[in-house]
Structure formats: C-alpha cells, structure tokens
Amino acid sequence: MAFNYGLRSRARVQQGIRWGLGYTAGLILLGCAGVELFAQPLAGLFSLSATTHAMCVDCMRIVSLGFLFAGLCIAFQGVFQALECGVESLVISLCQQVLFVLPPVWALTCLVTGPENVALIWWPLALGEAATLVVALVLYGKRARKRMEF
C-alpha cells in the first residue's frame, strides 16, 4: 500500500485496503471458529483441575470473540502506517493494549469473587477490541481518506 500511496494511485490503495481487510477478516474468522469449536480439547492439553478446565474453556471462548476485531485493528494500523499516519496507528495500539483493556479488567478483578464469576474478567478483552475497531473506523474516516485525496 505504501508503494501505491507513493505512486499516488488512489484506486490501488483502496483496492489494497479492501483486499487486506478482507483477507484478515477471513483468516481471523477461521481462527475464531477453530478456538470456539475446539476449546475443550485445547484446554485438555493442560493438566487442569475440573474447575480450572472450565475457566480455561470459558476464557478461550470469550477472548476468541475479540480475534476478529483485533485482526482488523492490526490491519488498520498497517493502513495508517502506509498512509503516513503514525499517530493514528499509535492511538489504535494504545486503545487496544491499554485504554480499553487494563482499567476495566483491573476494576473487575476488584469486584469479582469466586470461580463461577471469573469469566466476567475476560469480557473487557473482547469488548475492548470491538471498541478499538470503532476508534479505528472513525480515525480512518477522518484522516486516512483525506490522505488519499490526490
């Protein structure tokens, strides 16, 4: 994409974005489906107690829901870097790794007690990725499209 951006070929940049996001979504959907379908056998690879095994399966299933959003966020980071929008790429990274994950997880660890409620702690990982994708889409709409007006 950066090469086509340097050539000022808007059509090829847009085509690269579409294909890149499409391939990313497809591969991540396969990975998410694999984890969802095989969470029990994957957790069985470890020597876990029955309670820990159930928590592990719940964790894998909840966190894998965020895979699609995470993959698209990473793809958008590449788009921004190719379009010389490094700050936007940094904002996505900070949202994805810090802002939308750490505070809610910390708050939930203070509030949640007991193994039956521990699954709640994993939801900010999936929901944080979805929120980050919204941020990425807004940034793309505001900044990246303007960069391609040539």
Side-chain angles (χ1 to χ4, degrees), residues 125-143:
L125 297 168
L127 297 174
E129 296 292 354
T132 302
L133 182 58
V134 170
V135 170
L137 290 168
V138 168
L139 290 173
Y140 178 75
K142 286 187 173 188
R143 180 83 167 124

Side-chain angles (χ1 to χ4, degrees), residues 22-23 28 42 46 67 71-72 81 93 97 109-110 134 142-143:
Y23 280 132
I28 296 299
L42 286 171
F46 306 100
F67 287 177
L72 292 173
Q81 290 172 6
S93 183
Q97 297 176 16
T109 59
C110 294
V134 170
K142 286 187 173 188
R143 180 83 167 124

Side-chain angles (χ1 to χ4, degrees), residues 23-44:
Y23 280 132
T24 299
L27 288 171
I28 296 299
L29 274 174
L30 286 173
C32 181
V35 172
E36 291 289 331
L37 292 172
F38 299 109
Q40 290 279 353
L42 286 171

Side-chain angles (χ1 to χ4, degrees), residues 47-66:
S47 300
L48 304 173
S49 69
T51 303
T52 309
H53 184 272
M55 289 190 304
C56 181
V57 170
D58 287 344
C59 169
M60 284 192 284
R61 288 191 169 143
I62 292 168
V63 171
S64 72
L65 295 175

